[in-house]
Amino acid sequence: MAAADLPDTDKPKQEEWTHVKSKSRFRRNAPRPSPKLPGASSKPDEPRIHKSVADITTEYDSFKTRWRDTACHTKLRELVETNAAKHRTVRKAVCLGVGTFDPEDGGWDAKRRTYIQLDGFLTVVEVLSELYKETIPCSFQEPRFTPNDTEFLTNLGHQVVESPAAFEAVDEDTLVFAVHMYRPIYEATLEKASPAMFVGTGWDVWDEYVISPLVAGRDADTSLDSLR
C-alpha cells in the first residue's frame, strides 16, 4: 500500500508534529564591537615593545639617503661653509630635544622630523669638521629617548646625557642645535655663556626676549648678536 493511501488511523496527527523554524547563523541585533581608537592597544597592560636598534638604524639610513639628495641639504651645507669663518671655532656640539626615533603611536611625521633634525645637526657638524680638519664630539639630551635610541646614537659615535648635563656643557666653543624649544630651555642653555654657533628659534622671535637676562653679567643685545 502506498504511503498516500494510509488509513486515517495510521496517519500522523497534525498536533504531533513539531515545526522548527530555520535560524540564521547571525543574530540580527547582535551588538557590534566598539571601534578601536588609533594606536589603542587591545591589552593595555602589556609592556610596550620598543623598536630595535637595527630597525632605527635602517630607518635613519633611508631618511638620510633621501634627504641628502635634496636642495635643502645642499643649501644647509653652503650656509655653514659661507658663515663658519664669522664664528668662533666650534670644539664640541650639543643637540637638544631632537625627539625619539620610536614614538609610541609610530607616527610617520614625528619620525621624519626627528630623523631630519638629527641629520641636519650632523651635517652642520660634518661641514665644520671638514673645514677645521678635526673631529667635533657630539652630545644629545632628550628626555624621551628610549634605551634603543640611546644605543643607536652611541653606535654612531655620539654621547647621550641626562639633563642638565647638556646645559652645563655649553661654553663659548660650543655649537648648540635646539630647534623649536620652549623659552625656559633656551634660557637654561644660554645661562652661562654664548655659544660659538646657535641653530634654533628664529632671530625675529629672539628680538622679543632681548630684555631677558639670558646671559648673566653681559649685555643681552651684544650676546644675541653674536649668535646670528
Side-chain angles (χ1 to χ4, degrees), residues 15-26:
E15 60 269 21
E16 293 177 357
W17 287 87
T18 301
H19 297 276
V20 180
K21 296 182 179 179
S22 62
K23 293 184 178 180
S24 171
R25 290 182 300 167
F26 304 99

Side-chain angles (χ1 to χ4, degrees), residues 22-71:
S22 62
K23 293 184 178 180
S24 171
R25 290 182 300 167
F26 304 99
R27 290 181 295 170
R28 291 183 179 180
N29 299 321
R32 296 181 180 179
S34 301
K36 292 183 179 180
L37 296 175
S41 172
S42 57
K43 297 181 179 180
D45 294 334
E46 287 186 352
R48 180 187 170 200
I49 299 176
H50 292 291
K51 186 181 301 180
S52 70
V53 176
D55 286 342
I56 295 174
T57 303
T58 299
E59 281 190 343
Y60 168 61
D61 288 340
S62 177
F63 277 103
K64 175 182 175 180
T65 298
R66 284 178 288 172
W67 187 69
R68 293 208 171 195
D69 195 33
T70 64

